[in-house]
Amino acid sequence: MTKDHRPKARAAKGFRDIGPDEIRGIRAMLAKIQGVYESYGFEPVEQPFVEYTDALGKFLPDQDRPNAGVFSFQDDDEQWLSLRYDLTAPLARYVAENSQKIPTPYRSYRQGWVFRNEKPGPGRFRQFMQFDADTVGSASPAADAEVCMMAADTMEALGLERGQYRINVNNRKIIDGVMISIGVSGPEQTARRLTIMRAMDKYDRLGEEGTRLLLGPGRKDESGDFTAGAELDSSQIEKLIMLLRFGDVYSSIQSGAYEGRQYKFPNPFTNPPNEWEVYEQGTVSYLVAMKVAVQGVNPTNKKYEWSFGLDVLGEIPAVFEMNATLAAGIHELAEMDELFSKAGYTPEQIVINPSIIRGLEYYTGPVFECELLMETKDEEGRTVRFGSVGGGGRYDDLVARFTGQQVPATGFSIGVSRLYSALNMIGKAEESAMLAPVVVLVMDKDRQGDYWRMVQSLRNATDEDGNPTPIRAEMYVGTAGMKAQMKYADKRGAPLVIIQGGNEKAKGEVQIKDLRLGSELSQGIASREEYASQRLAQFSVPEADMVAAVKKALAQS
């Protein structure tokens, strides 16, 4: 191959290489997550990286990208195949295919790489790892609540304290109900609703101004690319922005500063609608109508104990025009919030947050997002807030794509790389306990068999009771001389090197050099004779005592 035609050594755009420290750190983190999932009774399962394209479906938020956000190719039988874009769609296919074999509800977890053909950016990659847990076959709010509680327990198992994370919970039916109230409903508006959802899901990234543009005429980004908007009018946009800023709206209501709340009525959860007394609260006709409208949020007139979440939910009817879809979403969240409270979880851990959207199209009910709240400094000294590191929700229609019958399902997905990066920046990531290997140098190429036996004796080390206590070790397999071998061991991070030339062999000894005490000594050494003359940070032991001596030296580090 000529120089002009040599390929440039570079990772593809949106992909990255991963080094050993991060790999080991992620493995340790995954083990802790797995421990929590296992403690909840979830079982492991795996699906392949590649699925038939029609089995995955088209549910990604950025469908303006080629191949609807997925990497696809055609098989030799002309069937279209795609790399999975998440772990949920393949699970739905698996459940549909194995419905007669698996228990119901089916509780499973899985981890693996997913791929998205999206526009990459800082911290936004086309290949990333997810760790999911799902319950398929239960329509109970308890299944959704359990997933949220498990997510909170996972964050604390990873060393995060309360106040450093928060599980935000909303319901897709609340979002759908608000869209109904502004006149965006019916099958003819499906595409428009999806455009609205994607715009709202970008609120954290683009802010209010950028979101308003996407909800209205459209937005041109920094590169000049234009994204068409939902073409809503200003009054419609205002209602959706109020939902995205509902935390501020709620605070304004509590302080008495909110002007859009014309009438005050009792909280429908702590004061069920059938107990309302209509007097001196505005026009009787209005309050009677409100009583009927609000009844849907508490259809059985159940008397709940007060909680912050129920207080927030009770104010939604005061802000948005009520309908059956909106009421159903509020009611489901009330049931979940009651479970959180009774299980001992506080709003510091799990909180009702009507502004959470989640961009995937297939969600049908409660949606959740794990947000990291702490701030830190990046490599350039800038203040960074991590934001979302995972999320999920209910997807009751995904399995039905295969079976024609609705199968309720809910789950949670952790963005592994993003979570590990956050833990690493705040010092919560578990550092690798794996010591670099002891390197046995090859002083005489005709005696490689002898050096190999030394390596094997280190790998097969045992304690006094004969229990395996292996020592990581390798024989230098290159062709270079003494200087290069020492540099290799130093670059490898080896704590010790084992040296046995002809003189040591004749004496039945080996030389052990501690590179941690004298790694700088490898510089400028040209020969074994020069090395032997320095005798720094090294000692001789009988070959029969080599394993014990190495153990002792490593223990002193």
Side-chain angles (χ1 to χ4, degrees), residues 106-118:
Y106 178 58
R107 297 152 64 80
S108 68
Y109 69 84
R110 70 221 61 84
Q111 65 189 64
W113 295 104
V114 299
F115 306 84
R116 296 190 183 178
N117 188 9
E118 298 174 340

Side-chain angles (χ1 to χ4, degrees), residues 311-327:
D311 206 47
V312 171
L313 292 172
E315 297 295 355
I316 294 178
V319 178
F320 302 102
E321 181 181 335
M322 289 300 297
N323 52 62
T325 300
L326 181 56

Side-chain angles (χ1 to χ4, degrees), residues 69-224:
V70 300
F71 290 99
S72 301
F73 58 94
Q74 207 164 13
D75 208 352
D76 53 11
D77 62 357
E78 298 188 352
Q79 289 267 16
W80 277 96
L81 302 170
S82 296
L83 289 173
R84 63 191 184 190
Y85 57 78
D86 71 1
L87 302 180
T88 307
L91 175 67
R93 187 270 307 159
Y94 173 83
V95 170
E97 189 176 359
N98 297 277
S99 59
Q100 301 303 313
K101 303 176 185 177
I102 59 178
T104 302
Y106 178 58
R107 297 152 64 80
S108 68
Y109 69 84
R110 70 221 61 84
Q111 65 189 64
W113 295 104
V114 299
F115 306 84
R116 296 190 183 178
N117 188 9
E118 298 174 340
K119 189 174 184 179
R124 184 181 174 95
F125 297 100
R126 290 170 162 174
Q127 174 187 336
F128 51 95
M129 184 179 286
Q130 292 183 333
F131 200 147
D132 289 18
D134 296 77
T135 296
V136 181
S138 173
S140 170
D144 301 292
E146 180 186 49
V147 168
C148 295
M149 292 186 282
M150 186 166 66
D153 289 350
T154 298
M155 294 302 111
E156 295 189 13
L158 293 171
L160 294 176
E161 300 173 1
R162 296 177 188 183
Q164 291 186 313
Y165 76 92
R166 181 172 58 212
I167 310 300
N168 296 291
V169 185
N170 194 14
N171 196 309
R172 181 59 61 87
K173 293 174 184 175
I174 288 179
I175 305 162
D176 292 342
V178 172
M179 282 199 271
I180 291 172
S181 74
I182 63 173
V184 183
S185 61
E188 71 281 1
Q189 298 265 30
T190 299
R192 196 182 196 189
R193 286 200 302 273
L194 293 177
T195 301
I196 293 170
M197 292 293 303
R198 293 171 196 142
M200 294 175 72
D201 193 42
K202 295 176 180 176
Y203 182 79
D204 284 344
R205 183 158 58 91
L206 299 181
E208 184 173 326
E209 181 180 354
T211 304
R212 284 182 180 274
L213 289 172
L214 290 177
L215 291 172
R219 176 182 178 271
K220 183 181 290 187
D221 66 17
E222 295 79 1
S223 67

Side-chain angles (χ1 to χ4, degrees), residues 172-368:
R172 181 59 61 87
K173 293 174 184 175
I174 288 179
I175 305 162
D176 292 342
V178 172
M179 282 199 271
I180 291 172
S181 74
I182 63 173
V184 183
S185 61
E188 71 281 1
Q189 298 265 30
T190 299
R192 196 182 196 189
R193 286 200 302 273
L194 293 177
T195 301
I196 293 170
M197 292 293 303
R198 293 171 196 142
M200 294 175 72
D201 193 42
K202 295 176 180 176
Y203 182 79
D204 284 344
R205 183 158 58 91
L206 299 181
E208 184 173 326
E209 181 180 354
T211 304
R212 284 182 180 274
L213 289 172
L214 290 177
L215 291 172
R219 176 182 178 271
K220 183 181 290 187
D221 66 17
E222 295 79 1
S223 67
D225 291 342
F226 180 77
T227 302
E231 300 291 346
L232 298 177
D233 62 37
S234 58
S235 63
Q236 291 172 313
I237 292 173
E238 196 60 39
K239 283 290 185 182
L240 296 175
I241 294 297
M242 284 173 61
L243 183 62
L244 291 170
R245 297 183 59 248
F246 195 78
D248 295 337
V249 173
Y250 173 77
S251 297
S252 180
I253 291 172
Q254 299 306 300
S255 67
Y258 181 66
E259 297 179 356
R261 192 174 190 266
Q262 297 180 8
Y263 299 95
K264 181 173 178 59
F265 50 83
N267 183 285
F269 302 106
T270 56
N271 296 277
N274 68 331
E275 297 181 0
W276 289 8
E277 295 181 13
V278 180
Y279 63 95
E280 297 180 5
Q281 297 187 59
T283 63
V284 171
S285 59
Y286 172 82
L287 286 171
V288 169
M290 279 302 300
K291 184 175 179 178
V292 172
V294 173
Q295 182 71 66
V297 308
N298 188 359
T300 62
N301 291 301
K302 178 178 176 180
K303 193 173 184 67
Y304 294 77
E305 293 183 12
W306 184 93
S307 73
F308 174 73
L310 294 179
D311 206 47
V312 171
L313 292 172
E315 297 295 355
I316 294 178
V319 178
F320 302 102
E321 181 181 335
M322 289 300 297
N323 52 62
T325 300
L326 181 56
I330 295 172
H331 173 63
E332 290 173 9
L333 289 185
E335 291 292 289
M336 290 176 64
D337 189 75
E338 182 181 44
L339 289 170
F340 298 146
S341 297
K342 289 185 175 180
Y345 291 82
T346 70
E348 199 175 23
Q349 298 167 282
I350 308 173
V351 67
I352 301 298
N353 185 344
S355 68
I356 296 301
I357 302 299
R358 303 299 297 169
L360 289 174
E361 179 186 337
Y362 54 60
Y363 291 127
T364 59
V367 289
F368 346 110

Side-chain angles (χ1 to χ4, degrees), residues 449-522:
D450 293 340
Y451 300 130
W452 187 261
R453 282 191 292 273
M454 292 181 190
V455 169
Q456 288 294 83
S457 66
L458 292 168
R459 294 171 182 162
N460 296 329
T462 61
D463 61 18
E464 295 178 353
D465 299 322
N467 299 311
T469 55
I471 299 169
R472 290 190 79 203
E474 65 172 86
M475 182 186 77
Y476 180 75
V477 294
T479 59
M482 173 70 180
K483 180 179 179 180
Q485 291 188 48
M486 287 296 298
K487 285 187 175 181
Y488 167 81
D490 185 57
K491 200 169 187 178
R492 191 78 169 81
L496 307 171
V497 293
I498 308 297
I499 305 164
Q500 189 187 63
N503 293 337
E504 288 85 5
K505 177 65 175 175
K507 297 178 183 179
E509 297 178 345
V510 296
Q511 293 279 338
I512 299 176
K513 179 172 178 60
D514 191 331
L515 296 185
R516 297 163 302 180
L517 299 178
S519 61
E520 74 283 355
L521 300 179
S522 64

